[in-house]
Amino acid sequence: MTFKPRLLRETAEIALTEIKRFIEPRLIDELSLRRVSAPLILPASSPLLDSRYPGVRVSLPGMPEEAEIVGSLDVWLRGQLARYDIAPGFGVFTIMNALRPATQLSAVASPHIATWAWQQAVEPANADKKTMADVARHIYTLLVDAEQMILSKFLHLTATLQKTLDVVDEDELARMLPDYGDERRIYEYLHPDFTDRPDRRSPDGKHCAALFVSRGGKGRRFEGEIWVWNRILNRALRIVDVAVWDADAIATDSIGGNIYRDHVALQLLHQNKLLVK
């Protein structure tokens, strides 16, 4: 069955403002975060640039060296943990606008990346997969609550998120679906025809599924993403990433990640393409 957008684009942009007003203060309060202002550019030699996402180099008047438009703020936010001497259990939060030029433009992807980004200091004993999964569940519950807020304002919309998050390790997912690659396994798990997943549906009886996949990290101790099934586009959609970082020259052990704002809007507001590209 094909679903069509159920909010006009102009109305969806207003609704996105409501989502922002709902999520941001709760994220700050519930994870004990301090809001900081995000940079758009950093010196090209800065150790706070994230090498996973090389940005665009620019030359600006008055700067002694080239600058780089940020592609991620995970490392920079860890630097803020050290700058403000943040104690375990507390963290920093910002609204990130980044540029990832390698990303191909499509209905669900854009070189412009907009996220709610955070890092929270943790005790070394808590820098593990369990803590990461607990944080993912917490974030997901916040998104479910945000959807309920939207449904109360736009009564013709229906829920797209199941109430609870399925947490599955990458190795477990591979055993369940051995004939596929990593992203295809996520697609198959979330697909309405998959029979081994718990049968969870939204109040309107339509298919809903949400999955947190955890794994060993590449440059981080552990990492994972929250994926949901998007009924309009008939595909899996990543809406959150979370990672556990070891202590290093930048900062202490921490856990943090990104809530992809435009993907959340795509999902909750029943759109068939990103609102901002």
Side-chain angles (χ1 to χ4, degrees):
M1 181 176 181
T2 301
F3 290 83
K4 296 180 180 180
R6 302 186 67 184
L7 284 181
L8 294 175
R9 188 174 184 86
E10 293 80 4
T11 306
E13 290 173 352
I14 294 171
L16 175 55
T17 299
E18 294 297 322
I19 292 174
K20 294 175 185 176
R21 289 173 176 167
F22 183 91
I23 286 179
E24 290 172 12
R26 286 165 177 79
L27 187 66
I28 290 170
D29 182 61
E30 293 174 17
L31 293 184
S32 301
L33 305 177
R34 169 179 183 166
R35 186 163 185 163
V36 294
S37 297
L40 179 60
I41 60 172
L42 288 170
S45 61
S46 173
L48 300 181
L49 284 167
D50 193 333
S51 61
R52 296 172 299 162
Y53 302 106
V56 176
R57 296 286 180 94
V58 293
S59 296
L60 298 174
M63 290 193 69
E65 63 174 289
E66 280 192 320
E68 187 171 307
I69 300 173
V70 297
S72 164
L73 287 178
D74 289 341
V75 177
W76 181 85
L77 283 169
R78 282 175 45 73
Q80 304 315 296
L81 293 178
R83 176 186 178 188
Y84 292 110
D85 194 22
I86 301 292
F90 298 88
V92 287
F93 160 85
T94 198
I95 298 171
M96 181 183 81
N97 284 284
L99 188 63
R100 297 179 186 175
T103 301
Q104 296 294 314
L105 189 65
S106 71
V108 297
S110 170
H112 170 233
I113 309 295
T115 77
W116 293 292
W118 84 97
Q119 286 287 326
Q120 184 185 59
V122 296
E123 296 283 2
N126 294 327
D128 55 22
K129 277 190 177 183
K130 179 183 182 302
T131 300
M132 182 175 70
D134 288 344
V135 170
R137 289 188 183 96
H138 196 113
I139 297 297
Y140 184 74
T141 298
L142 177 59
L143 295 176
V144 171
D145 291 344
E147 180 169 65
Q148 292 304 308
M149 178 275 296
I150 287 296
L151 295 180
S152 72
K153 295 179 181 294
F154 301 94
L155 302 180
H156 65 294
L157 298 183
T158 55
T160 69
L161 301 178
Q162 71 180 31
K163 297 301 183 184
T164 57
L165 181 66
D166 298 345
V167 176
V168 179
D169 186 82
E170 185 178 56
D171 293 339
E172 181 183 354
L173 194 61
R175 288 192 293 271
M176 296 169 67
L177 295 159
D179 298 330
Y180 302 105
D182 292 343
E183 286 204 19
R184 182 68 188 206
R185 289 181 185 125
I186 293 169
Y187 172 92
E188 293 293 334
Y189 183 95
L190 293 173
H191 194 278
D193 293 338
F194 186 59
T195 58
D196 291 343
R197 184 194 61 253
D199 184 21
R200 293 175 177 151
R201 298 181 181 275
S202 63
D204 63 6
K206 295 185 175 72
H207 170 79
C208 289
L211 171 68
F212 179 68
V213 182
S214 64
R215 64 181 68 86
K218 299 173 182 177
R220 296 155 300 287
R221 189 181 302 181
F222 305 111
E223 60 185 4
E225 304 99 21
I226 297 176
W227 294 77
V228 297
W229 184 255
N230 187 281
R231 300 199 304 248
I232 293 178
L233 298 172
N234 198 41
R235 58 164 292 161
L237 184 67
R238 184 186 65 165
I239 57 174
V240 177
D241 66 48
V242 186
V244 174
W245 297 71
D246 283 327
D248 55 20
I250 301 297
T252 184
D253 299 84
S254 70
I255 184 167
N258 297 272
I259 303 172
Y260 289 86
R261 187 193 69 196
D262 294 338
H263 284 178
V264 170
L266 186 76
Q267 181 74 14
L268 301 191
L269 303 180
H270 298 236
Q271 299 298 293
N272 61 355
K273 60 183 179 180
L274 297 177
L275 291 177
V276 179
K277 289 192 175 183

